[in-house]
Amino acid sequence: MKKIAFLVCTLCMVSIAGAQDAKSLLNEVSAKAKSYDNILIDFKYNLNNAKENVNQDTRGDVTLSGNKYVLHMMGTTRMFDGKKIYTIVPEDEEVTISNYNAQDDKEVTPSKLLTFYEKGYTYKMDIVQNIKGRKIQYVKLIPIDSKAEMKDVLLGIDVQTKHIYKLIQTDAKGTKYTLTVNSFKTNQPLSKTLFTFDEAKYKQDGYYINKLN
């Protein structure tokens, strides 16, 4: 009985230590990201659902500065200027403009990519991978909200740079969304108008402006 009690206590201590280590690592990643004026990420994105026989790859890039971002992916540009979200679809010659509501934003959006894990999750250390000489430590995050559509998140972190290398989201239906970072650049010279939407320009080019709010 004493041996069983000791084993249970030991497992609890290991679990607590693991959570503390995971929290410490995530705090370092967050602090590192917030220390940059801007971040440019080129990435590969994969959507996989074995049951539905779906496996799609695409590439994209995102520029982050504070909570502002410009995302290019699948022929569409999505921009957030801190107040409004602009979705620009050249193929349809249409721009959709909507107000941002933080309470409705429960997804891992570009503006939260490097900080989303700070609230609403429990976490623990997971596997370690060696990717071309880089040590990638994974942290598993599980939403505290039992009704969350997301089942869990695996966050792969480069131990040396403290940059995110990979993010794997799995939803309740078993669909996996994997983002793998190809390049991670910081403090780049950016245009002063990068996060400014020029409505007149798009109207002049014949775009339909759809304002939702």
Side-chain angles (χ1 to χ4, degrees):
M1 197 67 170
K2 288 182 179 180
K3 290 183 179 180
I4 295 175
F6 176 75
L7 178 59
V8 171
C9 288
T10 302
L11 289 173
C12 288
M13 290 173 68
V14 170
S15 177
I16 292 170
Q20 289 175 336
D21 289 343
K23 183 178 181 179
S24 177
L25 180 58
L26 291 175
N27 285 342
E28 288 185 74
V29 173
S30 179
K32 193 74 175 289
K34 291 175 180 177
S35 72
Y36 300 126
D37 291 332
N38 59 65
I39 298 172
L40 280 69
I41 298 174
D42 180 87
F43 61 86
K44 173 185 174 182
Y45 184 78
N46 174 267
L47 186 155
N48 182 277
N49 187 313
K51 292 182 180 179
E52 300 294 334
N53 197 30
V54 174
N55 187 34
Q56 299 176 343
D57 281 328
T58 189
R59 298 186 71 159
D61 62 82
V62 61
T63 301
L64 306 160
S65 182
N67 66 341
K68 300 178 182 179
Y69 67 81
V70 175
L71 168 68
H72 300 109
M73 186 174 168
M74 299 180 69
T76 297
T77 296
R78 184 180 173 95
M79 183 178 78
F80 178 49
D81 62 6
K83 294 181 180 180
K84 294 182 181 291
I85 298 172
Y86 306 85
T87 303
I88 305 164
V89 186
E91 185 177 354
D92 299 333
E93 294 189 337
E94 181 176 356
V95 178
T96 301
I97 305 174
S98 60
N99 291 327
Y100 173 73
N101 187 336
Q103 294 182 345
D104 294 337
D105 189 0
K106 297 180 180 179
E107 298 179 356
V108 182
T109 56
S111 57
K112 299 192 301 181
L113 176 61
L114 304 175
T115 57
F116 77 92
Y117 44 79
E118 293 179 339
K119 296 180 181 179
Y121 294 88
T122 60
Y123 29 76
K124 62 180 179 179
M125 289 296 202
D126 206 271
I127 65 170
V128 176
Q129 287 184 335
N130 188 301
I131 308 294
K132 297 180 180 179
R134 299 165 64 191
K135 182 180 178 181
I136 308 298
Q137 171 67 62
Y138 284 84
V139 176
K140 188 170 186 178
L141 300 96
I142 299 175
I144 294 174
D145 182 1
S146 59
K147 297 180 180 179
E149 295 181 4
M150 191 189 309
K151 180 183 176 183
D152 58 54
V153 180
L154 271 175
L155 201 60
I157 298 165
D158 186 315
V159 173
Q160 182 177 359
T161 64
K162 300 300 185 295
H163 292 165
I164 292 176
Y165 167 71
K166 182 171 288 190
L167 184 150
I168 305 171
Q169 294 184 70
T170 303
D171 67 19
K173 296 181 181 179
T175 302
K176 285 189 176 182
Y177 309 86
T178 304
L179 185 151
T180 305
V181 174
N182 294 321
S183 68
F184 192 108
K185 299 178 181 179
T186 61
N187 298 336
Q188 300 295 298
L190 302 180
S191 167
K192 293 181 180 179
T193 61
L194 181 63
F195 303 106
T196 302
F197 177 71
D198 189 346
E199 184 172 335
K201 173 184 177 300
Y202 284 95
K203 282 184 176 180
Q204 183 179 340
D205 291 343
Y207 277 65
Y208 172 68
I209 309 298
N210 181 22
K211 297 183 179 180
L212 300 182
N213 307 103

